[in-house]
Amino acid sequence: MDERSPLVTYKLSLSTEERGRNVPSRGSGQRAGTRKLSTFLGVVVPTLLAMFSVVLFLRIGFVVGQSGLYETVGMLILSYFIISMTVLSVCAISTNGALDAGGAYYMISRALGPEFGGSIGIMFFLANVCGSALYILGLVETMVALFGISAGDVGKSGLHVLPQSYWYEFLYGTILLFLCLLVCLVGASIYAKATFLIFIIVIVVLITVFISFFAVKEKVVSIVTTDSNGTHYLNGTFTGFKLSTLKDNVYPQYARDYTTGRIMSFTTVFAVMFNGCTGIMAGSNMSGDLKNPSYSIPRGTITAVIFTYIIYNVLALVISCTCDRTLLQNDYSFLRDINVWPPLVTIGICCSTLSASMSNLIGASRILYAMAKDELFGKLLLPAKKTSKGGNPWMSVIMSWFLVQLVLFAGKLNTIAAIVTIFFLLVYAAVGLACLALEWASAPNFRPTFRYFTWYTCILGILGSVTMIFLINAIYASASIVFMLILLLCLHYLSPSHSWGFISQALIFHQVRKYLLKLDVRKDHVKFWRPQILLLVSNPHSHKNLITFANDLKKSGLFVLGHVSLEELDVLPSDPLQTQTDLWLQLVDELNIKAFVNLTLSDSVRYGAQQLLFISGLGGMRPNTVIMGFYTRSSSEELLRNELEVDQGRSPPFKQTSAGRKQTTENFSPWEYVAIISDSIKMSKNVVLARYFSEFDRTRVCSLKGKETYIDVWPLNLLRPDSATYVNTCSLFLLQMACVLNMVRSWKKAKLRLYLCVESDSGLHGQEMKLKQLLKDLRIKASIHTVVWDPVVALHWHKQVVENSETAAESYLNFPNNSIRVSSGYLEAVNQMILGQNSNLPPAVRFLYLPRPPADTSVYNRFLYQVEMISRNLGPTLLIHGVTPVTSTEL
């Protein structure tokens, strides 16, 4: 087994005691001793209390009184539809592997990657912070309503003992929040025990509430409200079960909220009511403290959701049948006033709100602790990693408590209800997106044991959440999304890399595979041809200029960096290319180019190049053009001397080591270099030889201001002056490549100069007009420069027959396959002719015609010598041989 395998870190064998208790592996990052909570105590109880909390005892009457029974039921259906779709996604993700601390943050970050997970994690953290403050404010509201007095009411009743003002209410909230802090600092175990006791109390209170609707007779409740217009005295009525009361409460009747003074609407009431549904993550937040998170979270959450939905609907119905509008709209604590024993409801409100506040506070701390452990924000969250001996992240609890304390300055529950709802809805949408991405990616390792979900349940949950976000408050929603995107970008550029896996890579792979199969090479058309480049690189650090230039030349096409490593796998302990690939990819990132990397092992450069030509690309995405640096290991004299030393067909084209097995880079011969060119053309690849690109400075060329930049094109085969033609496949390919470079943004200001070599008696004007018409048909904008080369071409027509082979080698280069003789004097003259054109305005790069290598392999050195002579001292030059038709005059 590979020592880097993740299975090594997983404890495959458990002790006998652990098997009996079904204890999860201790390799998950948290000590097994801290995982103590069962499904009921760790998920069902916290989720029920978080979902009941404020809405159950303090806002269900408000919702019915403002929206009526029909819209209240509709709101409940809409709310529970959204959270049900989210719960299905949560269950799927939570049963797809081991969960650690962090709940929804942990799920999203491991599914969508650190950037998305971190930004959503912050939003979820803030949602829990604001939710904790919301429940504290709800409890303060109840306390003030029961025991608060104004300055003129002192002494009226012994029960009214609490001074009432903004700052006094802030003080009460601070004290209550401090009590929650103390419980959370002790740890999850004491929190679970406290919530279980609270759960018993809430259930008892809920039973007495339902009993009260049947046991209490018709009752008038005196209501005192205060607003900017003074104090108002109203009478609300508990009618008992009456059809007339039900009819009056069926339809909406939106009025002023007496706590904030604002006129209510469907969206504002929904924002308040939805807070009764935001507790579905309370169990997930405890994932780091559960004995078996993957088992407990789905079962516990679904149980809590079904139970609360039934209770809310039944409670809304009986309220509509028994309470008039005045009572519902002006007394949010009416359940206490109509209860058989009013103090019991007060106890229930205190317990449920305190429990919900603690649940959100401890949930926020766990999310903060998980983000600190992941080091998403560097040293900023370093203090949050501190834990007690029992594993409780006490510093995260304190940091969360401090932020909740700041939110208490909002003053009223309904003021922050919309913000809390939007934050939670964003998180729900992200959970659905995470599950959808995993499902669409069809990753083999996405095998959740919970199967009651599909991709369309994920989409419905996402659409429902996003729609309600903007219906509640478009400004808050837009600001929240912008804030989340800013966080995402910051994490993308500043966060250290993590080995969690990126769902984006799985999705991209899935789509690329699908479209590669649709990319049928039989449907290729010349109109849509583009360069697909394989750049053969020997030393990446000495060829950076050529690599960046080739990136410009690809014109949105495929770009592959190819390298041959002269090694034999038989004598190596492992494949060295695996580590080399990372270094090449770092180079790609450094140069900011869009390229793939393809490396191969071979005992010779030629055979390695053949491998790269065979294996590079996939389907319709395969290189059609090979670029190589120019051969510079031998001087011109050495090329001629080597040619004489090669025994045609008998001696090996390259030297071998003493072992006789492996070629070295120092022994890479000119013969082998030309052989690679020939091999490429045989495989129908266009060939580009790049010379003097060590002198090329792309930044300087592309940033010249006020100066002209030129691209010179010589589309004539200068080595075959007797076959002077500008309209063949290779010449047109040369024009196309120059045009492609000119279309790149950084080269758009460069001007194409096309050089027409003619003899004085061959009709200069006629040839120039034909070439202009050709450029017009091809939509290529270039200036034509006519070069009369009679003195140069005269050197070619040298008919002297040289019989001495040694003299022939020094004076001529012979192509046996076509019996064409070209003198060295002619080659030098051509080179000087090119250098002499516009010497005061030299081009940034030149494009020259590269003839096909001769069929006789024994004269490969002569061919390379010929090409070297013509391109000598020309500056950055591309010698191009095209075999692919690439131009079209049709639409």
Side-chain angles (χ1 to χ4, degrees), residues 253-418:
Q253 194 177 98
Y254 293 106
R256 190 180 301 275
D257 170 27
Y258 73 87
T259 64
T260 61
R262 293 181 300 177
I263 300 296
M264 293 290 99
S265 64
F266 177 87
T267 55
T268 55
V269 173
F270 178 83
V272 175
M273 192 278 299
F274 192 80
N275 283 284
C277 306
T278 56
I280 61 170
M281 294 293 189
S284 303
N285 290 344
M286 303 299 295
S287 58
D289 301 290
L290 297 171
K291 289 180 181 177
N292 192 340
S294 296
Y295 176 87
S296 300
I297 290 175
R299 289 163 176 80
T301 305
I302 292 175
T303 300
V305 167
I306 294 173
F307 183 76
T308 55
Y309 179 71
I310 294 172
I311 294 299
Y312 276 134
N313 278 278
V314 173
L315 193 57
L317 178 62
V318 296
I319 287 174
S320 300
C321 295
T322 58
C323 302
D324 71 353
R325 291 273 185 174
T326 304
L327 179 63
L328 296 177
Q329 290 182 348
N330 297 282
D331 186 5
Y332 296 161
S333 58
F334 74 99
L335 290 177
R336 176 183 58 83
D337 297 326
I338 66 172
N339 199 269
V340 290
W341 190 49
L344 192 60
V345 175
T346 303
I347 295 172
I349 292 173
C350 293
C351 290
S352 62
T353 50
L354 278 175
S355 172
S357 181
M358 284 190 290
S359 174
N360 279 265
L361 180 59
I362 203 167
S365 68
R366 294 310 189 264
I367 297 167
L368 188 63
Y369 172 64
M371 289 191 292
K373 281 205 309 179
D374 290 338
E375 297 181 348
L376 290 183
F377 297 90
K379 296 182 179 180
L380 185 63
L381 298 181
L382 187 61
K385 295 172 68 174
K386 295 181 180 180
T387 61
S388 64
K389 292 182 179 179
N392 184 36
W394 61 272
M395 194 61 191
S396 295
V397 173
I398 292 177
M399 294 171 69
S400 304
W401 163 80
F402 177 74
L403 291 177
V404 176
Q405 184 67 53
L406 294 180
V407 179
L408 289 180
F409 281 102
K412 295 294 181 182
L413 182 153
N414 286 8
T415 304
I416 61 172

Side-chain angles (χ1 to χ4, degrees), residues 431-445:
V431 172
L433 181 62
C435 190
L436 178 66
L438 289 168
E439 177 71 7
W440 276 357
S442 299
N445 280 319

Side-chain angles (χ1 to χ4, degrees), residues 607-870:
Y607 296 148
Q610 289 178 357
Q611 292 174 25
L612 291 174
L613 289 169
F614 280 123
I615 68 175
S616 294
L618 190 64
M621 294 286 287
R622 300 185 66 87
N624 55 35
T625 303
V626 178
I627 300 180
M628 296 190 294
F630 199 79
Y631 188 88
T632 57
R633 297 170 188 261
S634 301
S635 65
S636 300
E637 294 75 14
E638 288 174 324
L639 288 175
L640 285 176
R641 186 166 57 252
N642 290 340
E643 178 64 24
L644 294 174
E645 292 175 355
V646 174
D647 185 1
Q648 297 183 12
R650 290 193 298 271
S651 298
F654 54 84
K655 298 178 182 179
Q656 294 183 329
T657 63
S658 58
R661 295 192 63 184
K662 184 183 72 173
Q663 177 196 9
T664 63
T665 55
E666 290 77 10
N667 292 327
F668 177 50
S669 68
W671 186 97
E672 190 175 12
Y673 178 79
V674 179
I676 294 174
I677 299 174
S678 180
D679 293 342
S680 302
I681 295 174
K682 289 177 183 177
M683 297 169 69
S684 300
K685 309 294 184 186
N686 309 294
V687 177
V688 178
L689 305 183
R691 191 173 191 189
Y692 295 118
F693 270 83
S694 59
E695 307 169 7
F696 179 75
D697 187 351
R698 181 182 182 276
T699 304
R700 184 186 64 81
V701 170
C702 298
S703 62
L704 290 176
K705 294 183 179 179
K707 295 184 178 180
E708 299 288 351
T709 303
Y710 296 99
I711 301 172
D712 285 1
V713 183
W714 296 78
L716 176 66
N717 184 356
L718 297 173
L719 301 183
R720 289 286 305 275
D722 57 320
S723 60
T725 174
Y726 293 91
V727 189
N728 60 33
T729 299
C730 187
S731 298
L732 293 178
F733 184 84
L734 203 70
L735 285 171
Q736 182 77 347
M737 293 298 285
C739 184
V740 165
L741 180 64
N742 197 209
M743 294 171 69
V744 177
R745 178 180 298 178
S746 53
W747 288 86
K748 278 187 179 294
K749 294 183 180 180
K751 296 182 178 179
L752 287 180
R753 295 189 301 202
L754 186 61
Y755 288 91
L756 175 63
C757 297
V758 295
E759 297 181 53
S760 56
D761 59 349
S762 61
L764 301 179
H765 183 69
Q767 291 191 45
E768 185 175 351
M769 291 302 295
K770 290 180 181 179
L771 192 55
K772 283 184 177 179
Q773 184 60 42
L774 174 65
L775 294 176
K776 183 179 179 181
D777 293 340
L778 296 176
R779 292 88 63 203
I780 297 177
K781 187 177 181 181
S783 60
I784 299 176
H785 296 256
T786 304
V787 180
V788 179
W789 68 329
D790 294 52
V792 177
V793 80
L795 295 174
H796 168 66
W797 303 114
H798 189 63
K799 302 298 184 181
Q800 179 182 1
V801 178
V802 182
E803 297 182 358
N804 186 287
S805 61
E806 187 170 334
T807 306
E810 295 175 353
S811 304
Y812 297 97
L813 292 174
N814 180 39
F815 284 93
N817 58 320
N818 52 28
S819 301
I820 297 297
R821 293 178 176 180
V822 181
S823 68
S824 298
Y826 168 76
L827 296 174
E828 292 177 1
V830 170
N831 177 259
Q832 291 301 315
M833 177 186 69
I834 297 173
L835 278 173
Q837 299 302 317
N838 293 305
S839 57
N840 58 329
L841 294 173
V845 63
R846 287 184 173 91
F847 285 70
L848 300 185
Y849 190 114
L850 175 70
R852 186 186 185 112
D856 187 350
T857 60
S858 65
V859 293
Y860 274 4
N861 281 22
R862 297 182 187 182
F863 170 79
L864 186 57
Y865 170 77
Q866 181 180 7
V867 174
E868 192 278 333
M869 283 284 291
I870 283 187

